[in-house]
Amino acid sequence: MNEFDVVVVGSGAGGMAAAITAAADGLSVVIVEKAQQWGGSTARSGGGVWIPGNDILIQQAPADDLESARKYLRAIVADDADSGRIDAFIDRGGEAMRFLTDHSGLDLEWVRGYCDYHPEQPGGRAAGRSCEPKPFDARVLGADLATLQPFYTRTPMNVVVQQSDYRWLSTGFRHWRGPARMFRVAGRTALARIRRQRLVGLGSALAASLMVGVRQAGIPVMLGTAITELSTNGDVVTGVELSDGTSLAARRGVVLACGGFDHNPALRARHHRAPAGPSLSLGASTNTGDGILAAEKIGAATDLMDDAWWAPSIPLPKGPWFALAERSLPRSVIVNGQGRRFMNESLPYVEATHQMFGGAHGKSSGPAENLPAWLIFDQTYRDRYMFAGKPARAPLPRSWFANGALTTADTVEELATTLGIPPANLIQTMSRFNAAARKGVDDEFGRGISAYDHYYGDVTNKPNPSLGEISKPPFYAAQMVPADLGTKGGIVTDANARALRSNGEPIAGLYAVGNTSAAVMGHTYAGPGATIGPALVFGYLAARHIAGTNLVIQE
């Protein structure tokens, strides 16, 4: 059969949400996936879901309300995204989550205390609005388990962890919750082995639970199948052309949910500044912008192409390590090639990378102003905290030093000389930073003021969980590079996820969600899971619009 009501391109969160919803409305659906594995960048991610007002938050975090979430999102996004899309996301998010939970294996819980990324902004919430999947027994997937896209790297200690675990695992034995979480993770792992379960967590758990819904709905998934262009009849999209020379007809609509252009060297060079690019992207390797390019070819408008879901990372030999907690822990500081601080090191990762580029999100002539950059820390840091998945005190692999990702020296002056940093500048920076750490107040960049700064800090460290003196040799420097979790730029869409032309007119039969669409978050990031949350919601809304049910009202 080469004709369906709906053709969904991509098998990440947005694609599976659209497919499950369309099938529940009685439409015939197929998922086309370029990779030989399903799950896309969703399966490679932390699996967080930021959808205000969903049933889990109502039950577990009842102080939240939709108007606060709306005020918050509008405050941080400003004019970088259409207000109608923001309203649709806020107003329909809980509905979408409820539907997908009822029609798949989705089982989420609130990540208590995982702050919104800008909690001090109007409507921001220090207690957090993020949910995450519970560990999932992947045996239910049967043969599909073998083709699940793997997580981007090994999890710490190579066990199944949750986001709520990682915060405490990173600080080791500094707080009683550290060993408590270790025992909890160990117990979970041991019990799973006794029960012969195949537990997966994080993004793998989220993708797997959605695939349960796909299979229950009888939706075929075509792996290893790329699209080359969109089929049209006049101004209406009628299907897709495939790389094997065949085509699929779509009677009602095509949903592009095939990721961004993470691994397209030409597009990355055109829109992003070096050293950002495919080699530093943590997105699925098959994300080469196929959907964006195909839509552009028939007149779709694009936006936010100069930005990405940036992730300050350490370029380890086997690939970038996303430095999430490492930047916020005391006894660490980030400096540029002149040996100067240039930001609050604990900033949310998109904003932190913008600062690495010199404060701008987009492309400009010349090099990025604050690159190269290094995360500098001391032996006390290593004795206390996990680093790049290695427990405190554990030896760091020699290969990390051999490839230049890490450097060590007995003195700050020697470290500066090795890195090519003016020694006097680095010594002055360290002296000023250490004075701030003793006082507990960072007068220069305000590190430790925001509740978000403290989430990955050390609550036992006084007087400020985010600040600590860097004084015990040897000293270490980890190179920091602008990696990304995927690109932000894509097809301009409306509140129903319809693809739009530059004049604002919708392209009949074409929809875009997830990283194939321009992010509803604009140039910022609301909180943990603010990539996947909108993908799920707009995947749901796209399918509802195609089916002609529950339409979003356009003013």
Side-chain angles (χ1 to χ4, degrees):
M1 178 181 178
N2 290 319
E3 187 173 350
F4 299 84
D5 291 321
V6 183
V7 174
V8 176
V9 184
S11 62
M16 287 196 278
I20 292 167
T21 307
D25 275 331
L27 303 180
S28 61
V29 189
V30 63
I31 295 176
V32 178
E33 170 56 57
K34 180 180 182 179
Q36 294 291 348
Q37 298 165 312
W38 56 270
S41 294
T42 297
R44 296 173 60 81
S45 75
V49 176
W50 196 88
I51 300 177
N54 69 68
D55 290 346
I56 293 111
L57 293 179
I58 291 171
Q59 295 166 10
Q60 300 177 18
D64 191 24
D65 66 274
L66 289 185
E67 291 314 306
S68 292
R70 192 189 321 275
K71 182 187 297 183
Y72 171 64
L73 203 52
R74 286 182 172 175
I76 64 170
V77 174
D79 297 327
D80 291 329
D82 175 62
S83 61
R85 292 182 71 211
I86 291 175
D87 286 341
F89 172 62
I90 295 294
D91 293 332
R92 307 293 296 280
E95 170 193 329
M97 178 76 86
R98 185 180 309 117
F99 177 89
L100 292 170
T101 299
D102 290 343
H103 290 81
S104 73
L106 210 57
D107 188 11
L108 305 180
E109 62 185 7
W110 178 38
V111 188
R112 184 182 298 273
Y114 201 170
C115 306
D116 286 343
Y117 288 161
H118 306 278
E120 286 73 36
Q121 289 292 318
R125 186 169 163 82
R129 295 179 166 104
S130 183
C131 297
E132 68 172 328
K134 297 176 183 178
F136 183 85
D137 184 1
R139 291 180 301 175
V140 71
L141 295 174
D144 285 324
L145 177 57
T147 51
L148 169 62
Q149 179 84 232
F151 188 63
Y152 92 92
T153 188
R154 288 188 177 183
T155 54
M157 299 174 284
N158 202 29
V159 295
V160 174
V161 298
Q162 295 179 266
Q163 291 184 2
S164 54
D165 298 323
Y166 187 71
R167 173 189 185 183
W168 299 108
L169 294 178
S170 67
T171 54
F173 291 93
R174 293 284 291 168
H175 189 279
W176 66 267
R177 284 191 175 91
R181 287 286 175 163
M182 294 177 193
F183 282 120
R184 176 178 173 176
V185 170
R188 177 195 301 149
T189 302
L191 186 61
R193 288 174 179 167
I194 292 170
R195 293 174 173 173
R196 300 185 183 278
Q197 294 176 320
R198 292 288 302 275
L199 285 189
V200 293
L202 304 172
S204 298
L206 184 70
S209 61
L210 289 170
M211 179 54 77
V212 170
V214 168
R215 290 312 191 193
Q216 286 176 344
I219 300 167
V221 181
M222 299 172 61
L223 298 179
T225 305
I227 68 162
T228 55
E229 59 184 339
L230 296 165
S231 306
T232 58
N233 182 3
D235 292 332
V236 180
V237 172
T238 57
V240 296
E241 302 295 325
L242 304 179
S243 54
D244 63 2
T246 63
S247 61
L248 293 174
R251 289 183 290 262
R252 303 287 287 272
V254 172
V255 181
L256 297 176
C258 44
F261 55 96
D262 322 354
H263 293 276
N264 184 314
L267 286 179
R268 293 303 296 262
R270 184 187 310 166
H271 296 290
H272 297 157
R273 279 185 281 177
S279 66
L280 295 179
S281 182
L282 304 176
S285 62
T286 47
N287 289 350
T288 54
D290 299 357
I292 297 170
L293 292 170
E296 278 190 312
K297 189 175 179 180
I298 64 166
T302 58
D303 195 16
L304 303 176
M305 296 292 281
D306 57 359
D307 213 349
W309 303 100
W310 300 113
S313 298
I314 303 163
L316 300 180
K318 293 184 179 180
W321 174 271
F322 181 14
L324 190 56
E326 288 83 355
R327 296 180 292 111
S328 293
L329 291 166
R331 294 180 175 264
S332 67
V333 68
I334 293 178
V335 300
N336 60 19
Q338 293 301 309
R340 305 293 193 193
R341 289 182 73 202
F342 55 90
M343 67 172 173
N344 166 8
E345 291 82 0
S346 301
L347 281 173
Y349 32 99
V350 167
E351 276 71 23
T353 312
H354 287 167
Q355 293 302 316
M356 291 167 70
F357 283 129
H361 55 261
K363 182 178 178 180
S364 69
S365 59
E369 286 84 343
N370 289 311
L371 292 171
W374 290 274
L375 174 71
I376 295 177
F377 52 97
D378 69 355
Q379 187 58 43
T380 301
Y381 178 107
R382 277 299 304 127
D383 291 342
R384 292 180 176 179
Y385 309 126
M386 180 180 291
F387 180 79
K390 301 299 181 184
R393 298 180 180 272
L396 299 178
R398 293 180 180 179
S399 61
W400 294 7
F401 295 92
N403 86 325
L406 264 68
T407 303
T408 187
D410 291 328
T411 67
V412 172
E413 182 177 13
E414 181 185 345
L415 187 68
T417 300
T418 303
L419 296 174
I421 291 174
N425 288 0
L426 185 57
I427 290 170
Q428 183 184 56
T429 295
M430 299 290 277
S431 176
R432 183 172 182 176
F433 181 81
N434 285 343
R438 288 190 294 270
K439 186 170 61 172
V441 178
D442 177 15
D443 292 322
E444 195 172 10
F445 293 102
R447 178 172 169 183
I449 292 177
S450 173
Y452 177 72
D453 296 358
H454 296 171
Y455 184 77
Y456 282 115
D458 177 357
V459 296
T460 69
N461 186 79
K462 306 298 181 182
N464 189 321
S466 301
L467 298 174
E469 286 192 72
I470 305 171
S471 56
K472 183 179 179 180
F475 300 95
Y476 300 83
Q479 186 180 1
M480 299 296 295
V481 295
D484 63 77
L485 310 174
T487 51
K488 271 193 176 192
I491 301 162
V492 176
T493 58
D494 67 6
N496 289 307
R498 294 182 297 179
L500 303 180
R501 301 183 189 278
S502 57
N503 64 1
E505 291 296 318
I507 299 175
L510 184 62
Y511 301 76
V513 302
N515 287 353
T516 312
S517 63
V520 72
M521 295 293 153
H523 288 296
T524 190
Y525 209 152
T531 313
I532 292 175
L536 291 170
V537 174
F538 285 108
Y540 168 83
L541 293 177
R544 286 299 197 198
H545 190 270
I546 292 170
T549 58
N550 259 349
L551 300 186
V552 176
I553 302 299
Q554 299 289 325
E555 294 186 357

